[in-house]
Amino acid sequence: MYRLNLPSYETKFQEKGGKQLIFDFLRRKYVALTPEEWVRQHFTHYLVEQKGYPRGLMANEMELRLGEKRLRCDTLLYNRNLQPKMIIEYKAPTIQLQQRVFDQITAYNMLLHVDYLVVSNGLQHYCCRMDYEHHSYAFLRDIPHYTEL
C-alpha cells in the first residue's frame, strides 16, 4: 500500500474470498482495503491518537439524503450534543485534491452546516473553518486538536 504523510499505526488485515480487508476501528469490522480506505484508517487513527478526537463521536461512511439523492460522508465528527461538527473527505493518494473534491464536501455541508471541513489524500491535508456569520471560510495551517474545536 502507499506510504502516507500520516503516522503509522498497528494495522489489522484479513483476507476473505481473495480480497484484502482492513479493520475499521470505528465501524468495528473488516472492510475492503482500497487506497481510499487506507487513507481513512490512517487519518482516523491520527485524529484519535494524535489530536485527541473521541472515537465515540466519530462515524465512517455516513449516509445523507437530499430528496431522492443519497450522499455518503467519509467521516463525520459530532460534538458532545451529537450534532455534526466536522466533515472529512478522503481520496486515494493518487488523486489530486482539486476543486471538484472541495465542491463535493461543500455539497455535504449544505445539509450539515458544520464548523470544519477537512480533505485528505493521505499526502496532503486541508482543513478550513466555516464562518457562517460572515459567509466565509479560512484555511487552517494544521488540523486542530479536539480541545481547540
Side-chain angles (χ1 to χ4, degrees):
M1 221 9 96
Y2 300 93
R3 184 180 190 112
L4 303 176
N5 185 19
L6 290 163
S8 60
Y9 73 97
E10 190 175 326
T11 54
K12 295 180 186 178
F13 297 105
Q14 193 177 76
E15 191 173 313
K16 188 173 184 179
K19 286 191 170 189
Q20 187 78 11
L21 306 174
I22 189 169
F23 188 74
D24 181 336
F25 78 118
L26 295 181
R27 290 180 273 185
R28 295 185 175 109
K29 67 178 185 177
Y30 283 89
V31 295
L33 177 58
T34 63
E36 183 179 309
E37 192 63 45
W38 182 249
V39 172
R40 180 193 340 267
Q41 293 309 312
H42 278 78
F43 204 89
T44 54
H45 276 269
Y46 164 69
L47 292 176
V48 170
E49 295 166 11
Q50 305 290 318
K51 295 292 186 171
Y53 287 45
R55 82 185 242 186
L57 295 178
M58 297 173 66
N60 284 338
E61 297 281 326
M62 294 304 299
E63 185 177 284
L64 305 174
R65 292 182 187 207
L66 180 59
E68 296 295 315
K69 190 174 184 177
R70 292 182 177 190
L71 306 171
R72 181 191 45 81
C73 275
D74 287 337
T75 301
L76 275 178
L77 170 71
Y78 296 91
N79 64 20
R80 301 250 179 232
N81 297 322
L82 300 181
Q83 298 166 323
K85 181 82 173 165
M86 177 185 285
I87 302 170
I88 309 165
E89 180 65 25
Y90 309 106
K91 296 298 176 193
T94 56
I95 303 296
Q96 290 186 9
L97 300 179
Q98 297 178 337
Q99 185 62 47
R100 62 184 164 77
V101 177
F102 293 95
D103 292 344
Q104 179 182 3
I105 198 169
T106 300
Y108 299 158
N109 199 37
M110 292 177 75
L111 294 171
L112 297 174
H113 304 284
V114 299
D115 294 332
Y116 295 90
L117 301 177
V118 176
V119 174
S120 176
N121 65 1
L123 304 173
Q124 296 176 297
H125 325 293
Y126 294 96
C127 178
C128 68
R129 179 166 172 56
M130 304 303 296
D131 182 347
Y132 295 104
E133 184 178 333
H134 297 101
H135 305 287
S136 65
Y137 58 91
F139 280 94
L140 306 179
R141 290 180 2 163
D142 194 12
I143 308 297
H145 192 277
Y146 183 75
T147 57
E148 299 169 341
L149 298 180

